[in-house]
Amino acid sequence: MSKPLEGKVALVAGGTRAAGRGTAIALGEAGATVYVTGRTTRTQQSEMQRPETIEQTAELVDQAGGHGIAVQVDHLEQDQVRDLVARIEREQGALHLLVNDIFGLTTMEWDKTVWESSLDIGLRTFRLAVETHAITSHFALPLLIKQPGGLVIEMTDGTDEYNATNYRVSFFYDLAKAAVNRMGFSLAHELAPHGATALSLTPGWLRSEAMLDEFGVTEQNWRDATERIPHFAISESPLYVGRAVAALAADPDVARWNGQSLSSGQLAQVYGFTDVDGSQPDAWRYIVEVQDPGKPADTTGYR
């Protein structure tokens, strides 16, 4: 099996579960050394109160064919992030890829105005989704730009185009995801003179561990959930967006995407990768053309 990222070093910040875990595994498939960070370990849980751990993710990277290294980090703690980057430099001498996937939302306040929202939840959400990314970039990018060709991916929810005209969940969620998309644009401007690339990337409707639990299904029988939510038929596994990351990281012409807002389904059409079932779901096109207009669920031509 081809290992296009063998010898490359990646940091998946926020790799405990969901898109972060899928990304770490896909980078492992491509042969990368992957530092997986998060707050939940086998001996300590975060406020998420979920069973997934960074050690499990690192082991899955190994099983996929790469080298996974789990490091417990709270990305709001500057000293911890500084120490993490110093360790990567000490152990590897370089950082080729940074995936900022930190989020950690515990409560989704659907359709809550800013005055109806809990300030504690809203401001915590914003700190976890935005401040963590800024702190991580601050410390990691000086190492990443020591040699040309580095790549930074800001993982978000929704493309810039879609989010610009659609209210997303609540005031704080909407603002957080818009900010992360803008980070991809801003970092692109700052990294280009150093021969590095930055962009934002969104999965589609993600079959995260929490989403599967919510629907009472597993990755094996997830289609049963379409009886409750028919449009869930367009959903994708976390590995799908991970393979988008791996394809970008292996592309010698990745600079063509600098500053852009991309989706997993869009990139599958360019790079040819598939989800675990061999399909190529294009969720954001489906959402615009089928789900939002209120049409019956039908993924024909969309996966």
Side-chain angles (χ1 to χ4, degrees):
M1 186 175 177
S2 175
K3 301 287 185 182
L5 298 181
E6 192 166 11
K8 299 297 184 180
V9 180
L11 167 57
V12 179
T16 314
R17 60 186 68 83
R21 174 171 284 191
T23 295
I25 295 169
L27 292 172
E29 287 180 337
T33 293
V34 186
Y35 283 79
V36 179
T37 65
R39 296 171 296 169
T40 298
T41 70
R42 289 199 169 105
T43 59
Q44 185 177 357
Q45 275 194 331
S46 74
E47 65 201 62
M48 294 293 294
Q49 296 295 299
R50 294 283 312 172
E52 301 84 19
T53 70
I54 54 174
E55 293 94 342
Q56 290 171 347
T57 302
E59 289 167 0
L60 290 168
V61 173
D62 291 343
Q63 292 169 19
H67 178 40
I69 303 170
V71 186
Q72 186 181 31
V73 177
D74 182 339
H75 285 262
L76 283 173
E77 298 296 329
Q78 296 183 29
D79 289 346
Q80 292 184 30
V81 180
R82 181 188 293 110
D83 291 346
L84 165 69
V85 175
R87 173 177 171 177
I88 295 172
E89 183 168 25
R90 184 172 65 250
E91 294 178 350
Q92 310 297 334
L95 177 64
H96 305 100
L97 170 64
L98 167 63
V99 181
N100 264 327
D101 184 54
I102 316 144
F103 190 24
L105 178 69
T106 58
T107 303
M108 191 79 91
E109 294 193 297
W110 290 96
D111 298 319
K112 289 290 184 72
T113 63
V114 68
W115 60 90
E116 294 170 323
S117 300
S118 160
L119 271 180
D120 287 342
I121 293 171
L123 292 174
R124 178 69 173 169
T125 296
F126 196 74
R127 289 197 72 207
L128 288 168
V130 179
E131 191 173 326
T132 54
H133 289 223
I135 290 170
T136 305
S137 293
H138 174 83
F139 288 110
L141 294 191
L143 177 57
L144 184 134
I145 63 174
K146 280 194 171 182
Q147 52 186 300
L151 174 62
V152 178
I153 294 178
E154 290 289 334
M155 196 72 74
T156 188
D157 175 20
T159 63
D160 228 5
E161 181 181 14
Y162 186 84
N163 290 355
T165 56
N166 289 273
Y167 175 77
R168 302 303 312 283
V169 181
S170 68
F171 172 86
F172 286 105
Y173 189 93
D174 189 278
L175 186 59
K177 295 309 176 181
V180 173
N181 266 326
R182 188 65 183 186
M183 282 185 186
F185 176 84
S186 299
L187 289 174
H189 175 81
E190 297 178 358
L191 289 173
H194 302 276
T197 299
L199 54 89
S200 62
L201 176 64
T202 179
W205 194 341
L206 194 70
R207 293 197 301 274
S208 66
E209 299 86 351
M211 182 64 70
L212 293 173
D213 287 350
E214 172 68 21
F215 285 152
V217 294
T218 66
E219 181 57 34
Q220 287 66 47
N221 71 339
W222 68 267
R223 290 182 183 277
D224 291 350
T226 61
E227 296 177 11
R228 174 179 162 191
I229 306 290
H231 289 302
F232 195 58
I234 197 61
S235 67
E236 61 196 58
S237 80
L239 189 64
Y240 191 52
V241 74
R243 287 174 172 169
V245 172
L248 288 165
D251 183 356
D253 191 29
V254 69
R256 62 182 156 151
W257 303 113
N258 198 40
Q260 294 191 42
S261 168
L262 308 170
S263 72
S264 50
Q266 169 193 3
L267 291 176
Q269 301 305 313
V270 176
Y271 292 110
F273 60 85
T274 64
D275 205 346
V276 290
D277 62 359
S279 70
Q280 293 179 309
D282 192 353
W284 291 103
R285 188 167 61 88
Y286 176 90
I287 289 168
V288 170
E289 298 177 4
V290 180
Q291 182 175 309
D292 285 357
K295 296 179 182 179
D298 182 0
T299 60
T300 304
Y302 294 95
R303 65 174 311 137

mmCIF file of all heavy atoms in Angstrom, residues 12-39:
data_model
loop_
_atom_site.group_PDB
_atom_site.id
_atom_site.type_symbol
_atom_site.label_atom_id
_atom_site.label_comp_id
_atom_site.label_asym_id
_atom_site.label_seq_id
_atom_site.Cartn_x
_atom_site.Cartn_y
_atom_site.Cartn_z
ATOM 1 N N VAL A 12 -2.408 16.516 15.072
ATOM 2 C CA VAL A 12 -3.862 16.615 15.033
ATOM 3 C C VAL A 12 -4.295 17.098 16.409
ATOM 4 O O VAL A 12 -4.363 16.325 17.368
ATOM 5 C CB VAL A 12 -4.526 15.278 14.677
ATOM 6 C CG1 VAL A 12 -6.051 15.429 14.680
ATOM 7 C CG2 VAL A 12 -4.052 14.796 13.306
ATOM 8 N N ALA A 13 -4.535 18.385 16.501
ATOM 9 C CA ALA A 13 -4.911 19.012 17.765
ATOM 10 C C ALA A 13 -6.414 18.842 17.964
ATOM 11 O O ALA A 13 -7.206 19.395 17.216
ATOM 12 C CB ALA A 13 -4.545 20.496 17.751
ATOM 13 N N GLY A 14 -6.778 18.052 18.952
ATOM 14 C CA GLY A 14 -8.173 17.683 19.137
ATOM 15 C C GLY A 14 -8.469 16.398 18.396
ATOM 16 O O GLY A 14 -9.382 16.335 17.586
ATOM 17 N N GLY A 15 -7.688 15.354 18.665
ATOM 18 C CA GLY A 15 -7.803 14.099 17.920
ATOM 19 C C GLY A 15 -8.432 12.966 18.701
ATOM 20 O O GLY A 15 -8.285 11.803 18.315
ATOM 21 N N THR A 16 -9.133 13.285 19.771
ATOM 22 C CA THR A 16 -9.686 12.232 20.616
ATOM 23 C C THR A 16 -10.781 11.453 19.917
ATOM 24 O O THR A 16 -10.882 10.228 20.064
ATOM 25 C CB THR A 16 -10.255 12.829 21.922
ATOM 26 O OG1 THR A 16 -9.318 13.767 22.460
ATOM 27 C CG2 THR A 16 -10.537 11.747 22.940
ATOM 28 N N ARG A 17 -11.621 12.134 19.166
ATOM 29 C CA ARG A 17 -12.801 11.493 18.575
ATOM 30 C C ARG A 17 -13.232 12.253 17.314
ATOM 31 O O ARG A 17 -12.594 13.220 16.921
ATOM 32 C CB ARG A 17 -13.958 11.461 19.586
ATOM 33 C CG ARG A 17 -14.395 12.844 20.061
ATOM 34 C CD ARG A 17 -15.437 12.770 21.165
ATOM 35 N NE ARG A 17 -14.888 12.220 22.392
ATOM 36 C CZ ARG A 17 -14.208 12.943 23.289
ATOM 37 N NH1 ARG A 17 -14.000 14.244 23.085
ATOM 38 N NH2 ARG A 17 -13.726 12.397 24.372
ATOM 39 N N ALA A 18 -14.302 11.792 16.703
ATOM 40 C CA ALA A 18 -14.952 12.463 15.576
ATOM 41 C C ALA A 18 -13.974 12.757 14.426
ATOM 42 O O ALA A 18 -13.167 11.908 14.080
ATOM 43 C CB ALA A 18 -15.652 13.729 16.065
ATOM 44 N N ALA A 19 -14.048 13.959 13.853
ATOM 45 C CA ALA A 19 -13.219 14.283 12.686
ATOM 46 C C ALA A 19 -11.729 14.214 13.019
ATOM 47 O O ALA A 19 -10.924 13.835 12.170
ATOM 48 C CB ALA A 19 -13.571 15.664 12.157
ATOM 49 N N GLY A 20 -11.371 14.568 14.249
ATOM 50 C CA GLY A 20 -9.971 14.501 14.636
ATOM 51 C C GLY A 20 -9.439 13.081 14.615
ATOM 52 O O GLY A 20 -8.345 12.818 14.105
ATOM 53 N N ARG A 21 -10.217 12.165 15.171
ATOM 54 C CA ARG A 21 -9.796 10.758 15.153
ATOM 55 C C ARG A 21 -9.746 10.230 13.721
ATOM 56 O O ARG A 21 -8.785 9.548 13.340
ATOM 57 C CB ARG A 21 -10.741 9.906 16.001
ATOM 58 C CG ARG A 21 -10.447 8.414 15.920
ATOM 59 C CD ARG A 21 -11.245 7.592 16.918
ATOM 60 N NE ARG A 21 -10.689 7.730 18.262
ATOM 61 C CZ ARG A 21 -11.050 6.956 19.308
ATOM 62 N NH1 ARG A 21 -11.976 6.025 19.155
ATOM 63 N NH2 ARG A 21 -10.495 7.126 20.487
ATOM 64 N N GLY A 22 -10.774 10.531 12.931
ATOM 65 C CA GLY A 22 -10.770 10.082 11.543
ATOM 66 C C GLY A 22 -9.574 10.616 10.770
ATOM 67 O O GLY A 22 -8.970 9.910 9.957
ATOM 68 N N THR A 23 -9.209 11.859 11.044
ATOM 69 C CA THR A 23 -8.051 12.465 10.382
ATOM 70 C C THR A 23 -6.761 11.776 10.788
ATOM 71 O O THR A 23 -5.912 11.467 9.946
ATOM 72 C CB THR A 23 -7.989 13.964 10.713
ATOM 73 O OG1 THR A 23 -9.128 14.616 10.159
ATOM 74 C CG2 THR A 23 -6.722 14.598 10.168
ATOM 75 N N ALA A 24 -6.608 11.532 12.084
ATOM 76 C CA ALA A 24 -5.394 10.862 12.561
ATOM 77 C C ALA A 24 -5.241 9.487 11.923
ATOM 78 O O ALA A 24 -4.145 9.101 11.481
ATOM 79 C CB ALA A 24 -5.436 10.753 14.081
ATOM 80 N N ILE A 25 -6.335 8.737 11.836
ATOM 81 C CA ILE A 25 -6.282 7.402 11.244
ATOM 82 C C ILE A 25 -5.923 7.477 9.763
ATOM 83 O O ILE A 25 -5.088 6.702 9.273
ATOM 84 C CB ILE A 25 -7.622 6.677 11.443
ATOM 85 C CG1 ILE A 25 -7.883 6.421 12.928
ATOM 86 C CG2 ILE A 25 -7.651 5.357 10.672
ATOM 87 C CD1 ILE A 25 -9.289 5.940 13.235
ATOM 88 N N ALA A 26 -6.551 8.403 9.042
ATOM 89 C CA ALA A 26 -6.263 8.534 7.609
ATOM 90 C C ALA A 26 -4.806 8.923 7.371
ATOM 91 O O ALA A 26 -4.177 8.449 6.418
ATOM 92 C CB ALA A 26 -7.193 9.566 6.985
ATOM 93 N N LEU A 27 -4.267 9.779 8.233
ATOM 94 C CA LEU A 27 -2.848 10.128 8.112
ATOM 95 C C LEU A 27 -1.978 8.911 8.408
ATOM 96 O O LEU A 27 -0.917 8.734 7.812
ATOM 97 C CB LEU A 27 -2.515 11.277 9.058
ATOM 98 C CG LEU A 27 -3.164 12.628 8.699
ATOM 99 C CD1 LEU A 27 -2.925 13.652 9.803
ATOM 100 C CD2 LEU A 27 -2.630 13.155 7.370
ATOM 101 N N GLY A 28 -2.443 8.071 9.327
ATOM 102 C CA GLY A 28 -1.748 6.814 9.580
ATOM 103 C C GLY A 28 -1.762 5.907 8.363
ATOM 104 O O GLY A 28 -0.742 5.267 8.030
ATOM 105 N N GLU A 29 -2.903 5.838 7.676
ATOM 106 C CA GLU A 29 -2.989 5.056 6.446
ATOM 107 C C GLU A 29 -1.932 5.503 5.444
ATOM 108 O O GLU A 29 -1.388 4.688 4.694
ATOM 109 C CB GLU A 29 -4.369 5.236 5.798
ATOM 110 C CG GLU A 29 -5.517 4.549 6.486
ATOM 111 C CD GLU A 29 -6.838 4.786 5.776
ATOM 112 O OE1 GLU A 29 -6.969 5.800 5.032
ATOM 113 O OE2 GLU A 29 -7.746 3.966 5.965
ATOM 114 N N ALA A 30 -1.654 6.800 5.437
ATOM 115 C CA ALA A 30 -0.686 7.355 4.486
ATOM 116 C C ALA A 30 0.749 7.288 5.008
ATOM 117 O O ALA A 30 1.666 7.769 4.347
ATOM 118 C CB ALA A 30 -1.053 8.797 4.156
ATOM 119 N N GLY A 31 0.941 6.715 6.219
ATOM 120 C CA GLY A 31 2.276 6.481 6.731
ATOM 121 C C GLY A 31 2.876 7.563 7.600
ATOM 122 O O GLY A 31 4.062 7.512 7.931
ATOM 123 N N ALA A 32 2.080 8.560 7.994
ATOM 124 C CA ALA A 32 2.611 9.689 8.758
ATOM 125 C C ALA A 32 2.858 9.335 10.220
ATOM 126 O O ALA A 32 2.280 8.396 10.775
ATOM 127 C CB ALA A 32 1.646 10.868 8.683
ATOM 128 N N THR A 33 3.716 10.125 10.843
ATOM 129 C CA THR A 33 3.841 10.147 12.299
ATOM 130 C C THR A 33 2.865 11.205 12.796
ATOM 131 O O THR A 33 2.931 12.359 12.368
ATOM 132 C CB THR A 33 5.271 10.505 12.729
ATOM 133 O OG1 THR A 33 6.153 9.443 12.335
ATOM 134 C CG2 THR A 33 5.365 10.709 14.234
ATOM 135 N N VAL A 34 1.947 10.803 13.686
ATOM 136 C CA VAL A 34 0.853 11.680 14.074
ATOM 137 C C VAL A 34 0.831 11.888 15.586
ATOM 138 O O VAL A 34 0.658 10.927 16.351
ATOM 139 C CB VAL A 34 -0.509 11.107 13.628
ATOM 140 C CG1 VAL A 34 -1.619 12.117 13.917
ATOM 141 C CG2 VAL A 34 -0.486 10.725 12.154
ATOM 142 N N TYR A 35 1.021 13.128 15.997
ATOM 143 C CA TYR A 35 0.828 13.496 17.399
ATOM 144 C C TYR A 35 -0.660 13.780 17.584
ATOM 145 O O TYR A 35 -1.219 14.637 16.897
ATOM 146 C CB TYR A 35 1.667 14.721 17.766
ATOM 147 C CG TYR A 35 3.126 14.395 17.971
ATOM 148 C CD1 TYR A 35 3.983 14.221 16.882
ATOM 149 C CD2 TYR A 35 3.656 14.247 19.250
ATOM 150 C CE1 TYR A 35 5.323 13.909 17.065
ATOM 151 C CE2 TYR A 35 4.999 13.937 19.446
ATOM 152 C CZ TYR A 35 5.822 13.770 18.349
ATOM 153 O OH TYR A 35 7.155 13.453 18.527
ATOM 154 N N VAL A 36 -1.267 13.050 18.491
ATOM 155 C CA VAL A 36 -2.696 13.155 18.751
ATOM 156 C C VAL A 36 -2.887 13.792 20.125
ATOM 157 O O VAL A 36 -2.441 13.249 21.136
ATOM 158 C CB VAL A 36 -3.373 11.776 18.743
ATOM 159 C CG1 VAL A 36 -4.862 11.918 19.039
ATOM 160 C CG2 VAL A 36 -3.144 11.080 17.419
ATOM 161 N N THR A 37 -3.531 14.951 20.168
ATOM 162 C CA THR A 37 -3.713 15.622 21.453
ATOM 163 C C THR A 37 -5.195 15.736 21.807
ATOM 164 O O THR A 37 -6.075 15.712 20.959
ATOM 165 C CB THR A 37 -3.111 17.036 21.442
ATOM 166 O OG1 THR A 37 -3.832 17.857 20.503
ATOM 167 C CG2 THR A 37 -1.641 17.003 21.074
ATOM 168 N N GLY A 38 -5.433 15.860 23.086
ATOM 169 C CA GLY A 38 -6.776 16.013 23.623
ATOM 170 C C GLY A 38 -6.690 15.961 25.133
ATOM 171 O O GLY A 38 -5.611 15.771 25.705
ATOM 172 N N ARG A 39 -7.823 16.088 25.772
ATOM 173 C CA ARG A 39 -7.842 16.123 27.234
ATOM 174 C C ARG A 39 -8.212 14.794 27.874
ATOM 175 O O ARG A 39 -7.909 14.559 29.041
ATOM 176 C CB ARG A 39 -8.813 17.209 27.710
ATOM 177 C CG ARG A 39 -8.406 18.629 27.320
ATOM 178 C CD ARG A 39 -9.509 19.621 27.637
ATOM 179 N NE ARG A 39 -10.711 19.351 26.846
ATOM 180 C CZ ARG A 39 -11.898 19.914 27.055
ATOM 181 N NH1 ARG A 39 -12.048 20.775 28.050
ATOM 182 N NH2 ARG A 39 -12.922 19.641 26.282
#
